[in-house]
Structure formats: structure tokens, C-alpha cells
Amino acid sequence: GSLVVVGFAGIALNILIVRYYGSGTLGAFGQVFAVLMIAGQVAVGGFVFGILHYLPRSEAAGSERHAIFVSALYATVGLAAAVAVAMWFLSDIFGGVVGSPATGAGLKLASPAVFLFAINKVLLFALNAQRAMRLFAVGQMLRMLFYVFGMLILIAIRADGVVLPLSLTIGEFLLTGFLITATRRHFSFSPKMFDRAWVIRLVKYGRDGFFIGLLFDINLKVDVIMLGLFLNDAAVGLYVFMAMFADGFAQLPVVLQNNLNPLLSRTLHEKPIGSIRTYLVPLHLYFVPVMGLLAGIATLIVPELAVVLTGDSTYRDAWPIFAILAAGIAITSGFSPLLFVLNQAGRPDLQTALLAMSLVFNLVGNAILISIFGLFGAAVATSFATVLSVPTLILLYKRATQRWLWS
């Protein structure tokens, strides 16, 4: 349920921007949002992975449990503050590089959001580790709803389009208030519980997860950032809006992935190692055809829906952006639910290598194809990188387990 709310809130956010300010403002906002997600991942470090590992353990009781939480939170405060300050000072430089003063100004307004985003992520994952799943789901849902609320405030006071990224800071601030109230029931916030030894343990454990998370987030946003280097804000906004529907379509394999992960972990830790073929065959027999059919139907509907939502017929001509991205998602849907199988197999180093190679495919492909084909080039490069990740995954899995995925 929370995933659906988050999805609709994200759509509402983009519709509000296009309706009241146009695609140029959405383009600048989209670049700011992309940087926020990547910088937020840097700001939180790997502490959330350490929290998820250590807090649920049976020995993490009493004062030790509070020490783990406080150590992770206070260490994140320091790292997040440094990242937020760096983003503030580098914002004009980034705006100059992408040729968008609005993006540079927006990054300044969103820099406090980076700090709060990292804090909120620690608080959310602490709730997750405590199995407070309802609060965890509500917190994730409220993030996007608070973004929309912040946007509505700015629209109501007729703020300039350049100021819209302030809605991200407003949203994260409101979420911080909610999460502090929620986590106080479970944890102490006292600085006396801070333990440097726990910080070191959390960093060591979370190091691999940090790079995996960072590379994954960059891969999700690299097309928008690369478009900003080559095209104007209006073109980027057009792409961001159409890609939004593709992002929603891509959540279908993610739902399967979330359900398969615990099963994969159990299978891969059997002695002898279990067969992934059990999951691979049904995915290709049933899921891939369904995804292909849905991609075709959505390609007919999405362009007209975009026109209705925005009131701008320009979006009808942008249908190839969605069609190309959806095709890449459908083609790889037999493997994408197994994206993190290397990590499940106990090889985070190879999982990092897979995402790093995918990023290289993305960067090179976008740089070449955007310069030739513009917006459609970004869609082709992104889909091509997604498709190339499949043989890369197969080869790395063979290296990790000495067997093919389908054996």
C-alpha cells in the first residue's frame, strides 16, 4: 500500500510542476532531485546496513542496543553535515557545468535536505531493524507526501520556479519531526551512549553495502544528469516526465525481487548450493511475456495520459522515450528480479563490480547517444545498459558459484 502511495505522490509532484511552471522547471527540479538522491546515499554512508545487521541480533539488548543506534546516528550527523556543506559550495559549479543556473540555485535550497535525508534514513532503518514495520512503511510514504505538501505551499504563495527544490527541504524537515517522535519509543538519543568502537564496527560492516547502494542510485539517475550536460532544462523535463512512467513500470520486477531475496539467500546457502533454475524458469515462462504485453499496452496509453495530465500535446511526441525504456525493462524482466543474487551468494565485491560495469555502460552510452540522438539517445543508452547487465550478471555468477544461473 505504501509503495502505491509513494508512486502516486511522485506522479503528483511532477504534474504540479509541469502544470504550474512548465517542463523547463521540471527539468531543473529533476536534476536537483537526482543529485539529492546520490548525495543522500553518500551522506548516510554504510551505517544503515550496520544497523540492519547488528540491531536485530539477540545480544543487541539494553544499553548495547541504544549504543548502536546513537553511534550510527551521531556519526551520520557529522558525515551528512559535511556532504550538505559541500553540496552548498559546489552547487553553482554544478549549475554552470550543466548550463542551468536554476539547477545550481535549486541545489543550494536542497542542501539542507541532504543532511535531513541521511538522518531520516538512519531513523527509518532503525525502525525497520526493530520490526516496527508499520511505522517504517508510514515513514517511507510520508516522505513523498511531505514533498507534495511543500510543493503545494510554494505554489500557493506563488513562489518562483527556481525555489521549488525548497519543497524537498520542507518535506525532509517534517519527516524528521515524525521519525524522531516514532523512534523515541524504541531508542535513547543521549550522547552518553555514543561509542566510537561501534562506529568502527558499523563502518566496516556497511562498507560493501555503501558502494552497492551508491552505484545503484547513480545508475538510476545517470541519464537525467547526462541529459543536463547536453540539453536544456525544458528537454530534460520532458524526459523526466516520460521516464517517470517507466520508473513505475520498473517497480513490478522490484516487487518480485523483494519477495525472492530471502528465498534466494536460503537457496544459495544450502549445502550443496541450491539451483536458481527453480526461480529462473517461471520468470521466463510467465513473467517476461506478461511484462512484454504490459509494455505494449502502456506504450499506447502513456502518451495520451501524459497529454491529459499536463495539458501539453508535446508529450505525445515523446512516446518513444517511454517505449524504449519500457522495452528494456520487459526484455530483462526474467533476470532483473535476481539483480542482487551475487550479494545473496556472499560476494558483495562481485555485486559492486556488476553495478560499476553497468554504470560504465550507462555513462559511455549516454555520452555518445545523447550527443547524436538527444532525448531518445538517453532512453536507448539506458535500456542498452540494462540489457548488457544481464550477460554481465551471468558471467559474474558463474565466477562466484562455479555454475551457470540456469544449471
Side-chain angles (χ1 to χ4, degrees):
S2 63
L3 187 64
V4 173
V5 173
V6 168
F8 278 109
I11 292 172
L13 195 67
N14 286 346
I15 292 172
L16 286 171
I17 296 173
V18 173
R19 278 282 187 177
Y20 286 92
Y21 295 93
S23 59
T25 301
L26 178 61
F29 184 89
Q31 292 172 77
V32 171
F33 190 78
V35 173
L36 170 64
M37 292 298 104
I38 295 169
Q41 187 69 37
V42 175
V44 81
F47 293 112
V48 292
F49 300 101
I51 285 174
L52 286 176
H53 177 72
Y54 288 113
L55 274 181
R57 293 159 68 102
S58 58
E59 65 265 33
S63 61
E64 185 180 62
R65 180 168 60 89
H66 298 301
I68 294 169
F69 170 74
V70 170
S71 300
L73 181 62
Y74 281 59
T76 301
V77 167
L79 177 59
V83 173
V85 170
M87 181 168 155
W88 172 276
F89 282 108
L90 294 173
S91 57
D92 288 335
I93 296 174
F94 184 88
V97 170
V98 299
S100 172
T103 300
L107 287 172
K108 270 193 169 66
L109 293 169
S111 56
V114 172
F115 173 76
L116 294 169
F117 177 90
I119 303 305
N120 290 337
K121 197 160 187 179
V122 169
L123 298 175
L124 275 168
F125 275 77
L127 290 171
N128 183 291
Q130 284 297 110
R131 303 297 299 167
M133 301 310 294
R134 182 172 296 178
L135 285 172
F136 176 73
V138 170
Q140 287 189 309
M141 179 177 65
L142 284 177
R143 167 171 277 133
M144 287 305 301
L145 291 176
F146 284 151
Y147 286 171
V148 173
F149 178 70
M151 184 65 67
L152 289 171
I153 291 174
L154 295 176
I155 291 172
I157 65 174
R158 299 185 179 182
D160 190 275
V162 175
V163 180
L164 296 189
L166 186 60
S167 63
L168 304 174
T169 297
I170 294 171
E172 292 295 337
F173 178 78
L174 294 173
L175 182 61
T176 302
F178 168 80
L179 291 176
I180 288 176
T181 302
T183 49
R184 276 192 179 279
R185 304 183 205 172
H186 301 278
F187 301 102
S188 166
F189 280 73
S190 173
K192 294 178 181 179
M193 302 304 299
F194 181 82
D195 187 339
R196 187 177 297 178
W198 266 115
V199 173
I200 295 170
R201 289 181 68 180
L202 290 165
V203 168
K204 286 182 177 179
Y205 183 84
R207 184 171 48 207
D208 291 327
F210 164 72
F211 286 110
I212 290 171
L214 179 61
L215 288 168
F216 182 72
D217 278 358
I218 295 175
N219 268 302
L220 289 178
K221 302 298 181 183
V222 69
D223 50 350
V224 173
I225 293 175
M226 292 297 289
L227 278 169
L229 293 172
F230 288 90
L231 304 176
N232 60 35
D233 288 345
V236 177
L238 193 65
Y239 182 92
V240 166
F241 196 87
M242 298 305 290
M244 169 187 71
F245 294 103
D247 290 341
F249 184 57
Q251 293 307 304
L252 295 176
V254 171
V255 171
L256 266 182
Q257 181 188 107
N258 291 337
N259 284 278
L260 281 176
N261 278 341
L263 300 175
L264 288 171
S265 182
R266 191 181 311 147
T267 300
L268 291 167
H269 286 87
E270 290 175 351
K271 299 296 182 182
I273 188 171
S275 175
I276 300 299
R277 181 184 174 87
T278 309
Y279 311 107
L280 205 59
V281 171
L283 283 172
H284 283 80
L285 281 179
Y286 305 110
F287 191 57
V288 173
V290 169
M291 288 293 287
L293 178 63
L294 290 176
I297 294 172
T299 298
L300 298 175
I301 296 173
V302 164
E304 298 304 320
L305 179 61
V307 173
V308 171
L309 293 175
T310 63
D312 186 347
S313 60
T314 305
Y315 287 89
R316 183 180 291 113
D317 298 329
W319 68 266
I321 296 172
F322 174 81
I324 295 166
L325 292 173
I329 295 165
I331 290 168
T332 58
S333 60
F335 290 94
S336 55
L338 309 177
L339 178 62
F340 291 99
V341 69
L342 296 169
N343 198 47
Q344 299 286 352
R347 293 300 302 268
D349 56 328
L350 294 182
Q351 187 71 58
T352 303
L354 170 65
L355 294 171
M357 283 187 270
S358 182
L359 178 58
V360 171
F361 299 150
N362 247 322
L363 286 171
V364 174
N366 272 281
I368 294 172
L369 296 180
I370 291 174
S371 62
I372 300 173
F373 301 109
L375 293 177
F376 302 149
V380 171
T382 301
S383 285
F384 189 57
T386 303
V387 172
L388 281 179
S389 68
V390 171
T392 308
L393 171 63
I394 292 170
L395 292 174
L396 289 176
Y397 182 82
K398 177 70 163 62
R399 180 175 176 180
T401 64
Q402 304 306 309
R403 63 192 299 176
W404 296 109
L405 266 171
W406 51 83
S407 63

